[in-house]
Amino acid sequence: SQQGEEDPQALSIQEGENATMNCSYKTSINNLQWYRQNSGRGLVHLILIRSNEREKHSGRLRVTLDTSKKSSSLLITASRAADTASYFCATPTSNSGYALNFGKGTSLLVTP
Amino acid sequence: DAGVIQSPRHEVTEMGQEVTLRCKPISGHNSLFWYRQTMMRGLELLIYFNNNVPIDDSGMPEDRFSAKMPNASFSTLKIQPSEPRDSAVYFCASGTANTEAFFGQGTRLTVV
């Protein structure tokens, strides 16, 4: 099965700074997704980027995808304390796109 | 729509007892997924259904685990007999192919 691996495992920054998280995966994919999980809660979808896209924006989020390097990055600009959470990348288990495999996540702490 | 609904939110049971976790997916979604989350292993895909049919149950750890989806609006994950190492947060999610997955709030299971 394919699985994304996030890097770094943990990241601590101050409010206003940018946070960058990276994800590497192993085999060809047709899309890659990023999710957020607040402590004790379920995962929430942030953004989906398809294999024919190189960059995608959503508010303060910017996601890039490099299929030649099998990697993706999530950038959160002008971070806020409320961005404190774990962030996961996810890739389909097959190109039929049924289920997702998740990495172990990056734990982000944003301090005021 | 109320989103994916899981019950119970918390379950404490004694080793050897049967545990049944329940999930109501979002109406109109044809895929349903069961995940388990632990600190050690992260998010593991246990099983997923498409149009109520189990597609891949290779993630189910042992025969003690079973899952059913009798109709499009209900699924169960059963553990019989339960063991302390089954303690984890179990998530149900629903979606459609090649799109985002919507997660429930999870069931925190503690087996003592």
Side-chain angles (χ1 to χ4, degrees), chain A residues 35 37 41 97-98 100 104, chain B residues 33 35 37 48 98 101 105:
Chain A
Y35 287 77
Q37 183 180 33
R41 308 295 295 271
Y98 287 128
L100 297 170
K104 293 202 173 171
Chain B
F33 318 100
Y35 287 88
Q37 187 176 36
Y48 68 91
N98 282 318
Q105 292 301 301

Side-chain angles (χ1 to χ4, degrees), chain B residues 69-103:
Chain B
M69 191 165 186
N71 57 62
S73 59
F74 184 66
S75 177
T76 59
L77 177 68
K78 185 177 293 186
I79 309 172
Q80 164 65 19
S82 57
E83 296 183 3
R85 59 193 167 123
D86 302 330
S87 297
V89 181
Y90 290 80
F91 287 103
C92 175
S94 69
T96 55
N98 282 318
T99 64
E100 66 210 79
F102 292 79
F103 279 76

Side-chain angles (χ1 to χ4, degrees), chain A residues 10-15 17 19 79-81 83-87 106-112:
Chain A
L11 182 59
S12 182
I13 59 174
Q14 290 192 316
E15 268 191 327
E17 295 181 336
S79 62
R80 305 166 182 168
D83 294 328
T84 295
S86 292
Y87 293 82
T106 292
S107 179
L108 174 66
L109 174 64
V110 182
T111 55

